[in-house]
Amino acid sequence: MEFWTVIEKMDFNGRGHKAAGRWLIEDSGLTFSELKNVHNVANRKASYMMRLLDGVTGVGDDGFSDVCWQIIANGQEAYKNATVESAQEMIDNNDYTESFAYAFHDVYDIVDEQQRANKFIKRERAMKRIEQIRQTGGGFDQKLVAAFEHADNGNKRRLAIGFPELFEHLVD
């Protein structure tokens, strides 16, 4: 689904950030990769708006961010036609609501959860590999595993740097 179509279907102006976020996560049908892409594109567009509209007055940093995100929530035409003057008018007329960015918080949570799951899987694989090395006996790898098991945390990190194929997922 194209970015602006997703933004339109989120319907932030009609639903608010919580319901728009729920729609994005639960009802959009987007894959994890597509969700991350929509999130990343939205952040890039908000950053661009913040640079473009830097000259507005009468609003603090938080309000300025809200205005920039509101322009994205208003859709592609609003985004394409955004100027300092149009943003200033939004500010003067209080024609924006608290941040559309909040609709993407659930995406942050999913990304964090996925990263934790990936880290867990990598750690489990590393532990299985270590156990396999322990059981097969002999060899350089077995001596490294023994050294790792007896090392303090600082030396475990050094071993992980020197032998990432064995230990990188076992240290923080």
Side-chain angles (χ1 to χ4, degrees):
M1 198 178 321
E2 195 262 332
F3 175 78
W4 289 112
T5 302
V6 172
I7 298 303
E8 182 181 328
K9 289 185 175 191
M10 286 176 75
D11 189 23
F12 168 74
N13 294 324
R15 301 177 198 219
H17 67 82
K18 286 182 183 179
R22 273 195 309 276
W23 179 87
L24 180 63
I25 301 302
E26 298 170 7
D27 299 327
S28 69
L30 296 175
T31 66
F32 175 68
S33 178
E34 291 168 329
L35 286 170
K36 283 191 340 184
N37 186 54
V38 168
H39 173 257
N40 291 338
V41 170
N43 277 321
R44 283 194 305 274
K45 289 188 180 301
S47 293
Y48 172 75
M49 279 290 105
M50 289 176 190
R51 288 189 306 276
L52 177 72
L53 305 175
D54 192 39
V56 299
T57 60
V59 68
D61 291 344
D62 191 47
F64 178 63
S65 174
D66 292 343
V67 169
C68 293
W69 280 97
Q70 181 68 56
I71 291 168
I72 295 166
N74 290 347
Q76 187 173 17
E77 286 305 310
Y79 179 81
K80 284 182 178 181
N81 297 319
T83 63
V84 171
E85 293 77 21
S86 65
Q88 188 65 58
E89 186 177 328
M90 287 175 71
I91 292 166
D92 294 344
N93 296 332
N94 202 28
D95 193 19
Y96 62 97
T97 57
E98 195 163 14
S99 196
F100 179 49
Y102 298 158
F104 293 94
H105 283 191
D106 288 342
V107 176
Y108 292 131
D109 294 342
I110 289 173
V111 169
D112 288 346
E113 187 177 313
Q114 184 67 40
Q115 288 172 340
R116 283 191 303 274
N118 288 344
K119 187 175 181 180
F120 176 79
I121 289 167
K122 288 176 182 177
R123 183 176 176 86
E124 288 297 307
R125 286 181 186 153
M127 292 300 291
K128 285 181 184 177
R129 173 90 171 105
I130 296 295
E131 188 57 36
Q132 181 184 19
I133 290 169
R134 257 193 227 116
Q135 291 176 0
T136 58
F140 184 67
D141 286 349
Q142 189 177 35
K143 302 296 183 200
L144 285 172
V145 168
F148 184 83
E149 289 173 342
H150 291 91
D152 61 22
N153 286 339
N155 285 320
K156 284 183 179 182
R157 284 188 194 92
R158 288 184 184 96
L159 284 167
I161 291 168
F163 303 95
E165 68 278 7
L166 292 175
F167 306 119
E168 76 175 330
H169 300 294
L170 300 177
V171 296
D172 293 325

